[in-house]
Amino acid sequence: MMPEAWNVEHNNRHHYNLSELEDPDLVENNLAELRDMKAPLLFKYFYVFVASCTWKWLYYSPNTYKELKLAKWRREGKKIPAGIVASDAVTIKTLLFDKTPFYSLSEFVMVVIGPYLLLHFFILPMPLLFVQQYLGREDMYANAVKNLFLGDILTNLHGFVAVVTNHAGDDMYRFREGCRPFSGSFYLRQVLASVDFSYGTDIVDFLHGWLNYQIEHHMWPNLSMLSYQKSAPFVKEICDRHGVPYVKENVFLRVKKTVDIMVGTSSMKWFPESYEKKFLEVDKLVLAAKKSVKSE
C-alpha cells in the first residue's frame, strides 16, 4: 500500500473516528456482507482464513487508497456522487465486480500494487539469476520468488492477529456520532473501543510488534513505544479506580472474538445513546469554559 494513503486512513480517519460509522477499519461494518450471508458457518470460517492471508492486498491496500482519494476530493470541495456511502470499504471485490467513483482497477494496479509487486517479488531477487548461473543451478531465483510470496502470506497472518483484533469483539463498543479530538469523550472511547494484549517485557512487546498497547496508542498517538510500556499500568489503575472497562487479554483469545464478529456469531456493543449525547454536551461545556478562561 502507499504510505501516504495509510497515513490518511490510519493516522487520521481511524484514530479520530474510532469505532464510529466513519471508522474505515470498523470490522463489524466492513464484514456486514459476510455476517449476513446465508452460508454454512464452516464456509464463513474458511472465508476469514483466506482473508487473513491476503487482507493487506484485498482490503487494506485498496481501502487506504480510497481514503487518500476521498481526502483529496474533500480538500477540493468535490461532491460525493449520490448513492455512494463514503464510509463503505473499497476492496478488490469492489473493483472487480462493482463500481467506485474514486478510481479504477487499472489505476489501482498501475499506481498502488503493480510497482510494489514487480520490485519486491521479481526485481529484488534478480541478482540470484547471475548467482545461480555461476553456481550451475537453475532454482535459486524461483525459490526466492516463492519464499517472498510465502513470507508475504505469513506477514499478512501475523498482521491479522496483531492488528485486526485491536478493536473487535463482543466486549468492544461502537458509537453513533463523532467527538472532538482529545476531549473527555475521545479519551473514554479509546479505552472502551480498544484492547491491550499481554504486555510488560521487551520480548513480549517485540513479538506483538508493540501493537499490544492499543489503548495507550490511541490515547496518545504520538508517543513512543517505550512510553506506552511505561504508561499502561497507570492507565489501567485509573480506569479501575473509576470503573471504566480496561480490556487486556491474550491475543489469541482476541482472534477468536474477532472472528466471531466477522462471521456473525456475536456482535459489538452500542454505547448507550443517552450517555453518548450527555458526554458530548459535557465536552462542549468544558471547551466553552476553557475558551472563557483564555479570553480573560
Side-chain angles (χ1 to χ4, degrees), residues 34-286:
L34 180 65
R35 286 170 54 83
D36 298 335
M37 186 183 295
K38 303 301 181 184
L41 194 57
L42 186 62
F43 170 81
K44 291 187 176 185
Y45 284 132
F46 176 74
Y47 182 103
V48 170
F49 174 73
V50 173
S52 69
C53 296
T54 56
W55 68 280
K56 294 180 183 180
W57 292 87
L58 303 187
Y59 156 71
Y60 211 31
S61 184
N63 202 46
T64 53
Y65 191 53
K66 182 266 289 187
E67 290 294 337
L68 180 66
K69 288 284 191 176
L70 183 58
K72 183 180 179 182
W73 279 26
R74 286 170 173 157
R75 287 195 306 270
E76 297 173 347
K78 190 174 181 180
K79 291 185 178 180
I80 298 173
I84 299 297
V85 180
S87 59
D88 284 352
V90 171
T91 66
I92 288 294
K93 178 178 176 291
T94 310
L95 297 174
L96 288 174
F97 303 109
D98 300 319
K99 290 184 178 180
T100 176
F102 300 108
Y103 60 89
S104 64
L105 175 62
S106 60
E107 179 183 347
F108 176 67
V109 172
M110 295 297 293
V111 176
V112 183
I113 64 170
Y116 177 77
L117 185 68
L118 287 174
L119 288 171
H120 182 74
F121 293 99
F122 298 103
I123 295 178
L124 181 66
M126 284 187 75
L128 291 175
L129 290 172
F130 303 99
V131 175
Q132 70 181 26
Q133 185 177 19
Y134 177 76
L135 296 177
R137 296 183 57 174
E138 299 180 353
D139 59 348
M140 294 180 70
Y141 177 77
N143 287 340
V145 171
K146 293 175 185 177
N147 284 332
L148 285 171
F149 275 104
L150 177 60
D152 194 79
I153 292 173
L154 293 177
T155 58
N156 271 267
L157 277 170
H158 180 269
F160 179 88
V161 171
V163 175
V164 179
T165 56
N166 294 150
H167 310 285
D170 58 5
D171 50 359
M172 295 284 101
Y173 283 90
R174 294 182 60 174
F175 306 93
R176 298 163 187 82
E177 299 182 36
C179 66
R180 184 172 55 84
F182 308 113
S183 62
S185 292
F186 174 85
Y187 285 113
L188 179 64
R189 292 180 182 196
Q190 310 318 302
V191 180
L192 296 179
S194 304
V195 57
D196 278 8
F197 307 141
S198 301
Y199 60 62
T201 67
D202 290 344
I203 293 178
V204 170
D205 294 345
F206 175 79
L207 292 175
H208 286 87
W210 292 83
L211 293 162
N212 47 337
Y213 294 100
Q214 279 300 299
I215 293 174
E216 293 73 24
H217 171 58
H218 272 263
M219 293 178 73
W220 305 295
N222 296 325
L223 287 185
S224 68
M225 294 179 288
L226 183 59
S227 296
Y228 298 144
Q229 186 186 76
K230 292 180 178 179
S231 65
F234 296 101
V235 175
K236 185 178 186 307
E237 189 276 327
I238 293 171
C239 290
D240 291 343
R241 191 194 321 157
H242 293 280
V244 177
Y246 181 101
V247 181
K248 176 175 175 285
E249 203 166 30
N250 180 276
V251 67
F252 295 109
L253 293 177
R254 299 311 305 185
V255 170
K256 173 64 168 60
K257 291 188 175 183
T258 299
V259 172
D260 287 344
I261 295 293
M262 290 179 159
V263 300
T265 56
S266 69
S267 299
M268 295 175 67
K269 297 179 178 180
W270 281 97
F271 194 69
E273 189 172 6
S274 59
Y275 282 103
E276 185 174 326
K277 291 181 176 179
K278 179 180 178 180
F279 293 158
L280 290 173
E281 286 299 320
V282 171
D283 292 340
K284 292 179 181 179
L285 294 174
V286 171

